[in-house]
Amino acid sequence: MTLPFLSSRWSALWLAVVLLAGGGAHARANRVGPVSGNPRNLVYGRAGGQDLKLDLYLPETGGDVRPRPVILFLHGGGWKIGGKAEIDPYVSLITTAGYAVASVDYRLSDDARFPAQIFDCKTAVRWVRANAARYGLNPARIG
């Protein structure tokens, strides 16, 4: 049996939002808006002779200096197709709830044999943790 609210490919993303929010109360209490100047094409690693890049989407702090939880977005496509820009239509929904988004490009299966994609994603998580203070992110709350 499939539940209707879990049938879309975005269900994992929304589940992460709910879990990071602790049921949503935290996100509502600290509601902030999107900020301009989101860093794009940040190099989080290098593999197979190419730079691995991600885009950060940061919510406006509104004077709140607490580190923001991060949603790590890994685009769909079975490791074969897609790109980090797939999150663009949904970013404002997430950042206005107070979450930062790190949208990751990883090497596709035509360029690198599996499990290289998993290693790229793990590298992205390590980069987010290592650079959390610089961007005001919470390294303990990555989903």
Side-chain angles (χ1 to χ4, degrees), residues 38-115:
N38 293 312
R40 301 285 178 109
N41 293 315
L42 298 168
V43 176
Y44 71 87
R46 185 162 176 79
Q50 68 185 60
D51 288 339
L52 303 173
K53 299 178 181 177
L54 61 80
D55 294 341
L56 275 181
Y57 301 90
L58 304 170
E60 188 174 306
T61 62
D64 186 356
V65 295
R66 289 180 290 183
R68 295 160 288 223
V70 182
I71 295 176
L72 189 74
F73 176 76
L74 307 172
H75 63 82
W79 306 123
K80 189 167 180 71
I81 61 172
K84 60 185 169 62
E86 288 181 20
I87 191 71
D88 288 350
Y90 307 98
V91 162
S92 65
L93 296 171
I94 300 167
T95 57
T96 55
Y99 299 95
V101 176
S103 185
V104 177
D105 261 347
Y106 48 80
R107 292 174 289 163
L108 300 175
S109 59
D110 288 341
D111 299 327
R113 191 172 176 186
F114 185 84

